[in-house]
Amino acid sequence: MRAHSDRPQGDSVTGIGVEPYWELTFDAEGDMAPAGRDALVRGVADARLTDLVIFAHGWNNSRTLANDLYGRFFTPFPAVLAASGAPARLGYGGVIWPSMRFTDEPIPDFPRQPPALAGAGPVLEPGTLQALAGVFPGSEALLDRMAELIERRPEEPERLEEFAGLVRRLVTGPGRGAVAGAADPCLHDTEPGPDEPGEPAMFTDGAAAVCGRFADAVAPGGTAGGELFGGLGRLWAGALELLRQGSYWEMKRRAGTVGEGGLGPVVGALAEASPDLRVHLIGHSFGGRLVAFAVRGLAERARCVHSLTLLQGAFSHYAFAPRLPFAADRSGALKDVHRTVSGPVLCCHSRHDLALSVLYPLASRLSGDSQSALGLKDPRWGAMGHDGVQAVDGSLTLKLEQALAGPLPERGCVNVDAAAVVRRGGPPSGAHSDICHGELARLVLLAGRVVR
């Protein structure tokens, strides 16, 4: 499959605000064009860098938006480096991979597309439809029907069931990965149990029950706002959340695939060509999952990664755990991966992140990981970006100001409460994307010991 950008992959590009900067473009299966990979490896070696920072975005709709994010996040780096007097020769990389966000999810400091029907209840906005069509090729007719149903919000229960069936077809269709497949190693953040069901409950339970749970979750101020209708109409807000979460579970699987099978081997090739290069990986949201799986995909060359920074990571807080607190015979899918990083693994989290404190645990409950009816506060459903790495011995917990005062531990997991700066953003995702702050940029350089 071709990568989703037509520009030469791996070439150094300008316009980001920092140099040298390279794009690392992958398709949904983690493939990077060989010519682009070779150009990247050669360019990094020729630049004679001491350190390379690689950032992987999370929910995103376009290459332009991804590079805007990278440009804003990297902007403080040169000044921090110059002020420290550190002799590092620093390069930058931005991962471009086919993921998406719904356009009703605001990003602080970025222009927001106005809703198509403001105040008229849940709607599939044109930008979201376009993004869905881009990450699910060949789905245009199916998406048009879902948009029609969301707009009309018919009262017939069978129409809600039809919508739920269309969501399932969208995310589990031929060639679209195994969102519902328990055997997919890149889907799970913990090792599946022997009695694990093969399909997510959000796709197998009745549409009214599933949409009702999602509608309840967003009612206090989420996508539906105060416009929840009576009767079946109320459930259409939950139907929109079903589509959102269904598409995000495909993005979750894809992040693992691109990380382990794509970015990991590319970083390994960089290490082989430039043995003294220190690589620092950063990931936001599902991009955090991508870079964590990249470390797993590095195998014996993982020591070239000198820091791993997870910004509002949208994956299980038990991913690194050697044993799960609720199932001692099982472990996290990334068990001991943090031990292969030559420096610390930083996990920045914030209580202001509504996407990870409300919708992530609900979607996790409905993913098929368990059939229990436990409440949202049950810790098994927590995300890294909500409360940090859990069940890993020796993990340290710091406030942001403490982490910035340093020094940070040389190894191991460090949870950093970044709520002091990661705090802006409206529903449904809250502060999930409020990550472009000079404090977080400095934190990355401190973690990698690029500055002191």
Side-chain angles (χ1 to χ4, degrees), residues 79-138:
V80 172
L81 195 62
S84 73
R89 297 188 301 277
L90 190 60
Y92 306 84
V95 175
I96 309 294
W97 64 287
S99 71
M100 65 156 292
R101 69 179 180 92
F102 279 44
T103 53
D104 63 354
E105 299 168 13
I107 302 178
D109 300 323
F110 280 65
R112 181 177 181 180
Q113 177 177 323
L117 295 173
V123 65
L124 264 176
E125 298 176 0
T128 297
L129 279 173
Q130 183 178 5
L132 285 166
V135 297
F136 298 110

Side-chain angles (χ1 to χ4, degrees), residues 10 35 42 69 76 135 235 239 244 249 254 273 279 304 319 383 400 417 448:
R42 184 171 58 251
L69 169 65
V135 297
L235 300 181
R244 189 194 311 267
W249 280 99
R254 190 174 292 181
V279 178
C304 70
L400 179 60
D417 183 350

Side-chain angles (χ1 to χ4, degrees), residues 259-319:
E260 186 166 12
L263 180 60
V266 168
V267 172
L270 288 169
E272 183 174 359
S274 303
D276 295 328
L277 179 69
R278 295 155 38 100
V279 178
H280 310 281
L281 299 178
I282 313 168
H284 169 237
S285 186
F286 283 139
R289 192 172 194 271
L290 190 156
V291 294
F293 271 78
V295 176
R296 189 170 85 164
L298 272 167
E300 71 277 4
R301 294 195 177 278
R303 293 297 181 190
C304 70
V305 177
H306 283 251
S307 67
L308 175 65
T309 303
L310 310 173
L311 303 173
Q312 301 309 116
F315 61 117
S316 172
H317 56 194
Y318 294 130

Side-chain angles (χ1 to χ4, degrees), residues 34-370:
R37 182 192 61 227
D38 294 345
L40 169 69
V41 171
R42 184 171 58 251
V44 169
D46 290 347
R48 303 181 65 83
L49 303 175
T50 60
D51 298 82
L52 176 66
V53 181
I54 299 177
F55 196 158
H57 64 76
W59 304 344
N60 170 60
N61 284 349
S62 68
R63 168 183 165 263
T64 298
L65 189 62
N67 277 327
D68 284 348
L69 169 65
Y70 298 149
R72 289 179 186 242
F73 190 84
F74 286 145
T75 291
F77 278 58
V80 172
L81 195 62
S84 73
R89 297 188 301 277
L90 190 60
Y92 306 84
V95 175
I96 309 294
W97 64 287
S99 71
M100 65 156 292
R101 69 179 180 92
F102 279 44
T103 53
D104 63 354
E105 299 168 13
I107 302 178
D109 300 323
F110 280 65
R112 181 177 181 180
Q113 177 177 323
L117 295 173
V123 65
L124 264 176
E125 298 176 0
T128 297
L129 279 173
Q130 183 178 5
L132 285 166
V135 297
F136 298 110
S139 61
E140 288 81 1
L142 185 151
L143 289 168
D144 286 344
R145 176 58 177 165
M146 283 195 283
E148 178 188 357
L149 288 170
I150 282 283
E151 182 177 353
R152 288 176 44 225
R153 298 182 293 277
E155 288 289 335
E156 297 86 1
E158 56 269 25
R159 298 284 73 82
L160 193 69
E161 291 288 351
E162 178 190 358
F163 185 91
L166 292 172
V167 173
R168 185 179 187 280
R169 283 175 53 194
L170 177 73
V171 300
T172 64
R176 300 215 171 100
V179 167
D184 188 342
C186 290
L187 176 60
H188 296 278
D189 292 334
T190 59
E191 293 179 346
D195 57 349
E196 203 99 349
E199 292 185 282
M202 72 171 79
F203 299 140
T204 58
D205 286 2
V210 172
C211 293
R213 294 175 196 172
F214 281 128
D216 290 342
V218 300
T223 304
E227 302 284 342
L228 290 174
F229 303 96
L232 190 67
R234 167 189 169 278
L235 300 181
W236 284 104
L240 182 61
E241 292 309 311
L242 171 62
L243 173 59
R244 189 194 311 267
Q245 297 304 324
S247 65
Y248 288 167
W249 280 99
E250 165 60 11
M251 296 307 105
K252 175 183 176 180
R253 181 205 66 83
R254 190 174 292 181
T257 298
V258 173
E260 186 166 12
L263 180 60
V266 168
V267 172
L270 288 169
E272 183 174 359
S274 303
D276 295 328
L277 179 69
R278 295 155 38 100
V279 178
H280 310 281
L281 299 178
I282 313 168
H284 169 237
S285 186
F286 283 139
R289 192 172 194 271
L290 190 156
V291 294
F293 271 78
V295 176
R296 189 170 85 164
L298 272 167
E300 71 277 4
R301 294 195 177 278
R303 293 297 181 190
C304 70
V305 177
H306 283 251
S307 67
L308 175 65
T309 303
L310 310 173
L311 303 173
Q312 301 309 116
F315 61 117
S316 172
H317 56 194
Y318 294 130
F320 297 126
R323 290 178 303 279
L324 303 184
F326 55 89
D329 59 334
R330 295 168 55 192
S331 66
L334 298 170
K335 170 188 174 183
D336 292 334
V337 163
H338 62 287
R339 299 183 185 279
T340 67
V341 178
S342 291
V345 174
L346 261 59
C347 179
C348 295
H349 58 92
S350 171
R351 63 183 180 275
H352 304 299
D353 188 330
L354 299 180
L356 299 185
S357 64
V358 177
L359 290 175
Y360 180 92
L362 177 57
S364 296
R365 283 184 59 210
L366 295 175
S367 71
D369 290 334
S370 171

